[in-house]
Amino acid sequence: MDLVELVDSSHATGDVKFLRAKDELRAALAPMRREGSSIGLVPTMGYLHDGHLSLLRAARAECDLVVMSLFVNPTQFGPGEDLDRYPRDEERDLRLAAEAGVDIVYAPPVEDVYPEGFATQVEVGGGLTDVLDGDPARRGPGHFRGVTTVVAKLLNTVGPKVAYFGQKDAQQVAVIRRMVRDLDIPVRIEVLATVREADGLAMSSRNAYLDPGERERATALSRALRAAEATAGSEGLAAALATARAELRAAGIEPEYLEARDAENLNPVAESNGRPVLIAVAAQVGGARLIDNVLIQL
Ligand code: PAF
């Protein structure tokens, strides 16, 4: 079934418009904006899972009009990362978006987002983008520059009242919140809890890379974080990290990082200071680089 047919047949599950052109998107949104309708934006790179669906449902419940962007953003992938093999299934995404009550799916081509001569980047500093995933030895700050540039463009194009993100990408959330604050972008950032499989694995499009054995081993990440959470209150953060590390080691997983940081400014935290603490982990499990985290209030 091609996309046009899919959109035409989507009336059974909801009336979703599929748009590739920025001008068409702006034209579709203008009357809604004039009427004072609230617009919710859910930015995605597609290959939707229940985590995305929870964002879409929240947007549907809170906003008059729901826009989902579907764009595998090349600038947030470093050389040697998985841009080429990143899972894609636009038809399925459209069907799921329609079922979740999305009004508009905006799926621009790369050359529309980054036209010839594109020369502007949005970069958040303040120690938020060169630690954890942004450490130059890992994905590097260029990853977050790619994220903030595309998210700023999407916020400018859609002009939502609320934009929805998942807590699984905790660093991305901290970076986007700072960008929105620093650039006075008039949008509320709504962050929803990580959605997990029954065995605890955080939902991610990249879970598709795991073979059955790796899929089983990958459950160690959430187990490690739960163990850390259970230990932190009584024994402190150092013990919590040691417990988590032991849990990973038992599954044969050497983390790229496993760290306790202030959830808002991402400064390292050694001891409880009354502010929410993020325990974040990243690890390569077979063919997939996975991230997960837990937020704790000590
Ligand atoms: O979280 C993601 O899927 C992406 O980083 C985002 C926010 C859609 C930007 O490309």
Side-chain angles (χ1 to χ4, degrees):
M1 190 190 290
D2 74 22
L3 288 172
V4 175
E5 276 171 5
L6 186 75
V7 173
D8 287 347
S9 68
S10 70
H11 294 273
T13 47
D15 215 355
V16 66
K17 264 200 181 81
F18 180 77
L19 302 175
R20 293 225 186 258
K22 200 183 307 176
D23 293 349
E24 282 175 11
L25 176 66
R26 287 216 168 101
L29 294 176
M32 301 296 293
R33 220 187 301 283
R34 272 198 301 276
E35 284 166 18
S37 301
S38 58
I39 300 172
L41 171 66
V42 181
T44 81
M45 298 207 300
Y47 214 67
L48 301 187
H49 51 66
D50 282 356
H52 296 112
L53 297 185
S54 77
L55 305 182
L56 294 174
R57 289 193 197 106
R60 181 68 288 160
E62 290 171 5
C63 303
D64 299 323
L65 190 92
V66 178
V67 179
M68 178 183 102
S69 62
L70 175 46
F71 180 63
V72 181
N73 176 35
T75 65
Q76 68 189 75
F77 290 78
E81 290 190 10
D82 56 343
L83 173 61
D84 292 340
R85 65 176 186 130
Y86 194 82
R88 294 164 167 85
D89 190 342
E90 221 173 46
E91 288 191 4
R92 178 175 166 277
D93 288 343
L94 254 181
R95 181 170 44 77
L96 291 174
E99 283 170 8
V102 170
D103 298 296
I104 297 178
V105 172
Y106 172 52
V110 174
E111 56 280 12
D112 258 34
V113 179
Y114 301 112
E116 186 68 25
F118 185 87
T120 304
Q121 310 288 340
V122 178
E123 182 165 300
V124 171
L128 287 168
T129 55
D130 57 0
V131 298
L132 302 175
D133 266 15
D135 185 313
R138 298 171 190 145
R139 302 195 75 180
H143 164 66
F144 289 108
R145 201 158 51 235
V147 170
T148 42
T149 301
V150 82
V151 171
K153 282 176 69 85
L154 289 167
L155 293 174
N156 277 338
T157 306
V158 175
K161 181 174 174 208
V162 193
Y164 296 82
F165 296 88
Q167 175 61 28
K168 186 178 84 71
D169 297 303
Q171 186 172 11
Q172 170 171 283
V173 162
V175 170
I176 290 171
R177 282 194 193 284
R178 184 66 67 89
M179 171 185 80
V180 161
R181 191 202 75 174
D182 288 357
L183 297 183
D184 302 316
I185 302 178
V187 65
R188 174 160 64 85
I189 300 299
E190 193 63 41
V191 180
L192 270 74
T194 302
V195 177
R196 298 180 181 280
E197 304 282 0
D199 60 11
L201 179 68
M203 298 230 177
S204 163
S205 306
R206 290 189 169 96
N207 291 349
Y209 300 151
L210 298 166
D211 71 21
E214 294 161 358
R215 168 71 187 72
E216 171 60 33
R217 275 203 310 134
T219 57
L221 268 71
S222 59
R223 254 196 328 278
L225 292 170
R226 276 202 309 274
E229 187 177 17
T231 310
S234 52
E235 297 178 42
L237 286 173
L241 292 176
T243 310
R245 200 169 288 281
E247 197 68 58
L248 292 171
R249 202 176 307 118
I253 295 173
E254 182 56 41
E256 264 184 40
Y257 60 76
L258 171 65
E259 295 182 27
R261 293 198 169 249
D262 183 288
E264 192 186 321
N265 58 34
L266 301 186
N267 286 339
V269 193
E271 312 219 346
S272 151
N273 60 8
R275 290 167 56 83
V277 175
L278 179 74
I279 298 188
V281 64
Q284 189 74 34
V285 181
R289 183 182 185 277
L290 303 176
I291 58 170
D292 199 353
N293 68 82
V294 66
L295 254 186
I296 51 182
Q297 181 74 62
L298 293 174

